[in-house]
Amino acid sequence: MLLWTCPSNCDHTCQRIITNQRAARDPPMLNPVVQYHGKWPFYRILGVQEPCSVLFSFLNLVAHQRGISQIRDSIPASYPLRKYYVAFGYIGIASWVFSMGFHTRDFDLTEKLDYFAAGASVLYGLYYTPIRIFRLDQYKPPVKATFLRLWTIICLLLYIAHISYLTFWRWDYTYNMAANVAAGVTQNILWSAFSIRRYRKLKKPWAAWPGMIVAWIILAMSLELLDFPPWKGMLDAHSLWHLGTVGPTVWWYR
């Protein structure tokens, strides 16, 4: 059902055999677990390549799904920012659906869909941030509406250029990472500055929440830098990064 062919199944089985032999060697090897084809060897569950990453991606999906329900129940449809909140949720759901697909089976198509959806999620965060902080959703003064249209066009063109470069020019992991980091850092700085200013003005704990959520996400992202071999063949730094984003997602919708 998950399209395991004889060669791909043989490849996976050989990875596990070699990894187990290296781990059982006496005297022990300095680095018994190594990467194959640029990826750590994992134990499969029901044909799923990276079970923990799939599970934690699903938890993020549920967090967005519940968040959308909370928005619809608590925020009137007439509130101008409501549609941006809901869009944030649906883009988040899409990105985690494709993440689940990629970590279930690593194909060229699932990889591209995962990267494109993740890029859309990060860029939408950058798009929405100044709309909320500077209230570009308001039509007074009229210049805000002009800025909003311009900002929307810019972000759409950036995303089209991003996926076009990766699709038609070169599939570049370094560029993709740099583009996402740049967009992420920019919105994190904006949210942190916004939180500091609001907290100083209002002296309310909830005013600092966006900045605290940003700090949590940064700490979770730092797990990606560790890139250690999967513990028990299941839990690696990347899956922990997915787990680390569940909490701030739930918090964000509050």
Side-chain angles (χ1 to χ4, degrees):
M1 184 174 67
L2 295 180
L3 305 180
W4 284 98
T5 62
C6 184
S8 63
N9 191 60
C10 181
D11 184 9
H12 175 83
T13 303
C14 289
Q15 290 181 29
R16 293 309 321 163
I17 292 173
I18 294 172
T19 299
N20 292 339
Q21 289 177 343
R22 289 172 62 91
R25 180 178 170 180
D26 188 19
M29 302 184 72
L30 184 62
N31 296 303
V33 182
V34 296
Q35 293 186 344
Y36 302 88
H37 315 298
K39 296 174 70 69
W40 295 112
F42 292 89
Y43 283 112
R44 291 183 303 190
I45 295 180
L46 300 176
V48 175
Q49 277 183 280
E50 300 177 38
C52 286
S53 289
V54 173
L55 173 61
F56 300 151
S57 295
F58 176 73
L59 294 180
N60 278 280
L61 184 156
V62 172
H64 280 289
Q65 193 172 44
R66 293 185 62 183
I68 292 174
S69 297
Q70 292 173 0
I71 289 170
R72 287 176 168 165
D73 291 341
S74 59
I75 299 178
S78 58
Y79 184 61
L81 286 173
R82 185 179 189 261
K83 61 183 179 182
Y84 296 103
Y85 298 154
V86 173
F88 174 80
Y90 279 121
I91 292 174
I93 287 175
S95 67
W96 290 112
V97 165
F98 290 123
S99 174
M100 290 171 62
F102 174 55
H103 292 300
T104 297
R105 284 294 277 121
D106 180 3
F107 294 121
D108 183 64
L109 176 61
T110 57
E111 181 181 41
K112 284 182 167 58
L113 290 174
D114 178 41
Y115 277 58
F116 292 162
S121 180
V122 173
L123 186 58
Y124 184 82
L126 179 62
Y127 168 70
Y128 160 75
T129 299
I131 294 176
R132 170 60 187 88
I133 291 176
F134 303 113
R135 293 307 305 264
L136 298 182
D137 59 299
Q138 298 175 342
Y139 294 101
K140 292 182 181 180
V143 69
K144 285 190 174 184
T146 301
F147 278 131
L148 178 57
R149 286 192 293 270
L150 181 61
W151 180 234
T152 301
I153 293 171
I154 290 173
C155 287
L156 285 172
L157 291 177
L158 283 174
Y159 184 66
I160 292 171
H162 175 68
I163 61 175
S164 296
Y165 174 78
L166 291 173
T167 302
F168 303 115
W169 185 255
R170 185 159 65 107
W171 185 255
D172 189 333
Y173 292 101
T174 302
Y175 156 75
N176 182 73
M177 177 65 72
N180 281 279
V181 168
V185 168
T186 301
Q187 59 189 286
N188 288 347
I189 291 173
L190 288 171
W191 280 119
S192 298
F194 175 73
S195 294
I196 292 171
R197 189 179 76 249
R198 295 276 288 180
Y199 181 75
R200 287 176 176 174
K201 179 181 178 181
L202 301 174
K203 302 298 183 183
K204 300 290 185 180
W206 54 263
W209 284 7
M212 296 168 69
I213 293 171
V214 163
W216 186 338
I217 292 174
I218 291 174
L219 288 174
M221 286 181 63
S222 65
L223 290 168
E224 286 278 66
L225 302 177
L226 301 178
D227 195 26
F228 53 81
W231 180 71
K232 300 295 185 181
M234 300 287 288
L235 195 66
D236 69 329
H238 185 74
S239 63
L240 287 176
W241 146 237
H242 287 339
L243 177 62
T245 57
V246 177
T249 301
V250 173
W251 192 4
W252 185 259
Y253 282 104
R254 294 185 177 180

